[in-house]
PDB file of all heavy atoms in Angstrom:
ATOM      1  N   VAL A 130       3.703   0.959  -3.073  1.00 93.00           N
ATOM      2  CA  VAL A 130       3.945   1.724  -4.289  1.00 93.00           C
ATOM      3  C   VAL A 130       5.362   2.279  -4.201  1.00 93.00           C
ATOM      4  O   VAL A 130       5.686   3.022  -3.278  1.00 93.00           O
ATOM      5  CB  VAL A 130       2.962   2.903  -4.444  1.00 93.00           C
ATOM      6  CG1 VAL A 130       3.252   3.677  -5.721  1.00 93.00           C
ATOM      7  CG2 VAL A 130       1.526   2.433  -4.399  1.00 93.00           C
ATOM      8  N   LEU A 131       6.221   1.890  -5.138  1.00 89.00           N
ATOM      9  CA  LEU A 131       7.589   2.414  -5.198  1.00 89.00           C
ATOM     10  C   LEU A 131       7.771   3.080  -6.555  1.00 89.00           C
ATOM     11  O   LEU A 131       7.586   2.444  -7.591  1.00 89.00           O
ATOM     12  CB  LEU A 131       8.613   1.288  -5.027  1.00 89.00           C
ATOM     13  CG  LEU A 131       8.535   0.506  -3.727  1.00 89.00           C
ATOM     14  CD1 LEU A 131       9.531  -0.648  -3.738  1.00 89.00           C
ATOM     15  CD2 LEU A 131       8.767   1.401  -2.539  1.00 89.00           C
ATOM     16  N   ILE A 145       0.069   9.822  -5.028  1.00 95.00           N
ATOM     17  CA  ILE A 145       0.534   8.451  -4.844  1.00 95.00           C
ATOM     18  C   ILE A 145       0.002   7.984  -3.494  1.00 95.00           C
ATOM     19  O   ILE A 145       0.337   8.566  -2.465  1.00 95.00           O
ATOM     20  CB  ILE A 145       2.069   8.372  -4.866  1.00 95.00           C
ATOM     21  CG1 ILE A 145       2.647   9.087  -6.089  1.00 95.00           C
ATOM     22  CG2 ILE A 145       2.524   6.923  -4.832  1.00 95.00           C
ATOM     23  CD1 ILE A 145       4.149   9.281  -6.037  1.00 95.00           C
ATOM     24  N   LYS A 146      -0.825   6.932  -3.501  1.00 96.00           N
ATOM     25  CA  LYS A 146      -1.495   6.519  -2.269  1.00 96.00           C
ATOM     26  C   LYS A 146      -1.416   5.007  -2.072  1.00 96.00           C
ATOM     27  O   LYS A 146      -1.544   4.249  -3.025  1.00 96.00           O
ATOM     28  CB  LYS A 146      -2.970   6.923  -2.308  1.00 96.00           C
ATOM     29  CG  LYS A 146      -3.196   8.408  -2.419  1.00 96.00           C
ATOM     30  CD  LYS A 146      -4.672   8.726  -2.466  1.00 96.00           C
ATOM     31  CE  LYS A 146      -4.901  10.228  -2.585  1.00 96.00           C
ATOM     32  NZ  LYS A 146      -6.334  10.544  -2.565  1.00 96.00           N
ATOM     33  N   ALA A 147      -1.256   4.602  -0.806  1.00 95.00           N
ATOM     34  CA  ALA A 147      -1.331   3.197  -0.398  1.00 95.00           C
ATOM     35  C   ALA A 147      -2.135   3.149   0.898  1.00 95.00           C
ATOM     36  O   ALA A 147      -1.657   2.706   1.934  1.00 95.00           O
ATOM     37  CB  ALA A 147       0.062   2.612  -0.217  1.00 95.00           C
ATOM     38  N   GLY A 165      -0.194   1.203   3.816  1.00 95.00           N
ATOM     39  CA  GLY A 165       0.929   0.413   3.316  1.00 95.00           C
ATOM     40  C   GLY A 165       2.212   1.229   3.283  1.00 95.00           C
ATOM     41  O   GLY A 165       2.498   1.998   4.199  1.00 95.00           O
ATOM     42  N   THR A 166       2.968   1.098   2.200  1.00 94.00           N
ATOM     43  CA  THR A 166       4.244   1.790   2.034  1.00 94.00           C
ATOM     44  C   THR A 166       4.257   2.519   0.698  1.00 94.00           C
ATOM     45  O   THR A 166       3.900   1.939  -0.330  1.00 94.00           O
ATOM     46  CB  THR A 166       5.417   0.791   2.047  1.00 94.00           C
ATOM     47  OG1 THR A 166       5.457   0.119   3.301  1.00 94.00           O
ATOM     48  CG2 THR A 166       6.751   1.500   1.824  1.00 94.00           C
ATOM     49  N   VAL A 167       4.690   3.782   0.714  1.00 94.00           N
ATOM     50  CA  VAL A 167       4.923   4.531  -0.523  1.00 94.00           C
ATOM     51  C   VAL A 167       6.352   5.037  -0.488  1.00 94.00           C
ATOM     52  O   VAL A 167       6.773   5.682   0.471  1.00 94.00           O
ATOM     53  CB  VAL A 167       3.965   5.734  -0.673  1.00 94.00           C
ATOM     54  CG1 VAL A 167       4.282   6.499  -1.949  1.00 94.00           C
ATOM     55  CG2 VAL A 167       2.519   5.287  -0.685  1.00 94.00           C
ATOM     56  N   GLY A 168       7.107   4.716  -1.524  1.00 91.00           N
ATOM     57  CA  GLY A 168       8.462   5.225  -1.673  1.00 91.00           C
ATOM     58  C   GLY A 168       8.558   6.050  -2.939  1.00 91.00           C
ATOM     59  O   GLY A 168       8.110   5.625  -4.007  1.00 91.00           O
ATOM     60  N   LEU A 169       9.091   7.240  -2.827  1.00 91.00           N
ATOM     61  CA  LEU A 169       9.288   8.127  -3.977  1.00 91.00           C
ATOM     62  C   LEU A 169      10.753   8.522  -3.997  1.00 91.00           C
ATOM     63  O   LEU A 169      11.251   9.142  -3.049  1.00 91.00           O
ATOM     64  CB  LEU A 169       8.397   9.372  -3.868  1.00 91.00           C
ATOM     65  CG  LEU A 169       8.606  10.467  -4.911  1.00 91.00           C
ATOM     66  CD1 LEU A 169       8.349   9.939  -6.322  1.00 91.00           C
ATOM     67  CD2 LEU A 169       7.706  11.657  -4.619  1.00 91.00           C
ATOM     68  N   TYR A 170      11.447   8.152  -5.059  1.00 88.00           N
ATOM     69  CA  TYR A 170      12.884   8.392  -5.176  1.00 88.00           C
ATOM     70  C   TYR A 170      13.131   9.061  -6.523  1.00 88.00           C
ATOM     71  O   TYR A 170      13.062   8.416  -7.566  1.00 88.00           O
ATOM     72  CB  TYR A 170      13.649   7.068  -5.061  1.00 88.00           C
ATOM     73  CG  TYR A 170      13.187   6.246  -3.887  1.00 88.00           C
ATOM     74  CD1 TYR A 170      12.342   5.158  -4.058  1.00 88.00           C
ATOM     75  CD2 TYR A 170      13.570   6.598  -2.600  1.00 88.00           C
ATOM     76  CE1 TYR A 170      11.904   4.422  -2.963  1.00 88.00           C
ATOM     77  CE2 TYR A 170      13.129   5.871  -1.504  1.00 88.00           C
ATOM     78  CZ  TYR A 170      12.301   4.784  -1.697  1.00 88.00           C
ATOM     79  OH  TYR A 170      11.854   4.072  -0.616  1.00 88.00           O
ATOM     80  N   VAL A 181       1.782  12.361  -1.290  1.00 96.00           N
ATOM     81  CA  VAL A 181       2.231  10.997  -1.026  1.00 96.00           C
ATOM     82  C   VAL A 181       1.622  10.570   0.307  1.00 96.00           C
ATOM     83  O   VAL A 181       1.863  11.215   1.326  1.00 96.00           O
ATOM     84  CB  VAL A 181       3.773  10.912  -0.968  1.00 96.00           C
ATOM     85  CG1 VAL A 181       4.226   9.485  -0.775  1.00 96.00           C
ATOM     86  CG2 VAL A 181       4.397  11.508  -2.224  1.00 96.00           C
ATOM     87  N   GLN A 182       0.814   9.505   0.301  1.00 97.00           N
ATOM     88  CA  GLN A 182       0.180   9.122   1.558  1.00 97.00           C
ATOM     89  C   GLN A 182       0.013   7.613   1.680  1.00 97.00           C
ATOM     90  O   GLN A 182      -0.133   6.902   0.702  1.00 97.00           O
ATOM     91  CB  GLN A 182      -1.154   9.828   1.740  1.00 97.00           C
ATOM     92  CG  GLN A 182      -2.236   9.435   0.772  1.00 97.00           C
ATOM     93  CD  GLN A 182      -3.478  10.297   0.953  1.00 97.00           C
ATOM     94  OE1 GLN A 182      -3.404  11.522   1.047  1.00 97.00           O
ATOM     95  NE2 GLN A 182      -4.631   9.643   0.999  1.00 97.00           N
ATOM     96  N   ALA A 183       0.031   7.174   2.960  1.00 96.00           N
ATOM     97  CA  ALA A 183      -0.203   5.785   3.346  1.00 96.00           C
ATOM     98  C   ALA A 183      -0.998   5.833   4.650  1.00 96.00           C
ATOM     99  O   ALA A 183      -0.491   5.537   5.726  1.00 96.00           O
ATOM    100  CB  ALA A 183       1.107   5.039   3.514  1.00 96.00           C
ATOM    101  N   VAL A 200       3.895   3.861   5.923  1.00 94.00           N
ATOM    102  CA  VAL A 200       5.224   4.454   5.767  1.00 94.00           C
ATOM    103  C   VAL A 200       5.273   5.256   4.472  1.00 94.00           C
ATOM    104  O   VAL A 200       4.894   4.761   3.410  1.00 94.00           O
ATOM    105  CB  VAL A 200       6.319   3.364   5.728  1.00 94.00           C
ATOM    106  CG1 VAL A 200       7.682   3.971   5.441  1.00 94.00           C
ATOM    107  CG2 VAL A 200       6.336   2.576   7.019  1.00 94.00           C
ATOM    108  N   VAL A 201       5.744   6.500   4.578  1.00 94.00           N
ATOM    109  CA  VAL A 201       6.023   7.343   3.418  1.00 94.00           C
ATOM    110  C   VAL A 201       7.513   7.645   3.460  1.00 94.00           C
ATOM    111  O   VAL A 201       8.013   8.209   4.430  1.00 94.00           O
ATOM    112  CB  VAL A 201       5.207   8.657   3.461  1.00 94.00           C
ATOM    113  CG1 VAL A 201       5.671   9.612   2.372  1.00 94.00           C
ATOM    114  CG2 VAL A 201       3.716   8.370   3.328  1.00 94.00           C
ATOM    115  N   ASP A 202       8.238   7.229   2.430  1.00 92.00           N
ATOM    116  CA  ASP A 202       9.690   7.414   2.374  1.00 92.00           C
ATOM    117  C   ASP A 202      10.027   8.156   1.092  1.00 92.00           C
ATOM    118  O   ASP A 202       9.749   7.663  -0.002  1.00 92.00           O
ATOM    119  CB  ASP A 202      10.393   6.055   2.409  1.00 92.00           C
ATOM    120  CG  ASP A 202      11.897   6.178   2.488  1.00 92.00           C
ATOM    121  OD1 ASP A 202      12.390   7.060   3.225  1.00 92.00           O
ATOM    122  OD2 ASP A 202      12.599   5.394   1.817  1.00 92.00           O
ATOM    123  N   ILE A 203      10.607   9.344   1.225  1.00 91.00           N
ATOM    124  CA  ILE A 203      10.940  10.169   0.062  1.00 91.00           C
ATOM    125  C   ILE A 203      12.414  10.536   0.119  1.00 91.00           C
ATOM    126  O   ILE A 203      12.903  11.026   1.137  1.00 91.00           O
ATOM    127  CB  ILE A 203      10.080  11.451   0.036  1.00 91.00           C
ATOM    128  CG1 ILE A 203       8.603  11.072  -0.048  1.00 91.00           C
ATOM    129  CG2 ILE A 203      10.492  12.357  -1.122  1.00 91.00           C
ATOM    130  CD1 ILE A 203       7.661  12.225   0.172  1.00 91.00           C
TER     131      ILE A 203
END
Side-chain angles (χ1 to χ4, degrees):
V130 180
L131 300 175
I145 310 169
K146 299 179 180 183
T166 298
V167 178
L169 173 60
Y170 312 102
V181 183
Q182 67 186 47
V200 175
V201 171
D202 186 40
I203 300 169

